[in-house]
Amino acid sequence: MGRHTWGKTAGALLLATTVAAVSGCSSSSDADAAKPAAKAKTVSVEDATTTFQAAVTTFDTDGGCLEQKPGTCWDQMQSLMEPARTLRKAMNAEKAVEPEFWTDAYALINTMEKGIAVGEDRGTTPGVTNRPDILGSAHDLSDWLDENPIK
């Protein structure tokens, strides 16, 4: 009878170990509670404006895109587009003004996006270039932000 009891005990321990191992592999409410959900951080319009305008100033200070050859300004275009996208997110989240307030700003960012969608820098050839859409609109947006502050 000793062997039979030992077998039942060993079987019970094996079953308990298997259940514990399987339970450990599944998600539990305790494990989910220990990991806080990452929330997308929304930057304020004021901070996004400052960052965007600093990018425009940096572009101007660094000489802009003086070369007329295609492909020489793509990095600068991207460095203006990224803060413009952050600014759009901040504008979307802003509750102090009506959404219509941003109509002109949205249009300028949309024009920048249209220029980026063309792809790499197309140089200065009329009818081919995407520089005015991106670089010109970035400057126009910076001016618009100066003329339309929210406080």
Side-chain angles (χ1 to χ4, degrees), residues 3-142:
R3 271 198 257 168
H4 203 56
T5 305
W6 181 86
K8 285 182 179 180
T9 304
L13 286 174
L14 179 61
L15 178 62
T17 303
T18 303
V19 169
V22 170
S23 294
C25 290
S26 66
S27 68
S28 69
S29 60
D30 292 340
D32 292 340
K35 295 179 185 177
K39 290 186 179 181
K41 181 181 176 188
T42 303
V43 177
S44 71
V45 170
E46 189 174 85
D47 289 344
T49 296
T50 300
T51 301
F52 175 76
Q53 289 183 318
V56 172
T57 300
T58 298
F59 173 80
D60 291 341
T61 303
D62 289 348
C65 292
L66 299 177
E67 294 187 44
Q68 295 188 14
K69 296 186 308 187
T72 57
C73 294
W74 187 244
D75 290 341
Q76 292 94 331
M77 291 173 166
Q78 292 291 326
S79 70
L80 292 171
M81 195 69 245
E82 184 179 333
R85 288 175 177 146
T86 300
L87 178 61
R88 178 193 300 272
K89 288 178 187 173
M91 292 177 347
N92 289 342
E94 180 59 55
K95 303 297 182 208
V97 295
E98 294 296 318
E100 295 79 25
F101 175 81
W102 303 113
T103 300
D104 293 336
Y106 284 134
L108 290 166
I109 295 171
N110 289 344
T111 301
M112 292 175 70
E113 290 286 6
K114 182 181 86 172
I116 288 290
V118 168
E120 292 287 327
D121 170 26
R122 303 293 181 180
T124 59
T125 305
V128 176
T129 184
N130 55 347
R131 290 182 186 182
D133 284 348
I134 301 166
L135 306 175
S137 295
H139 283 89
D140 292 345
L141 179 58
S142 182

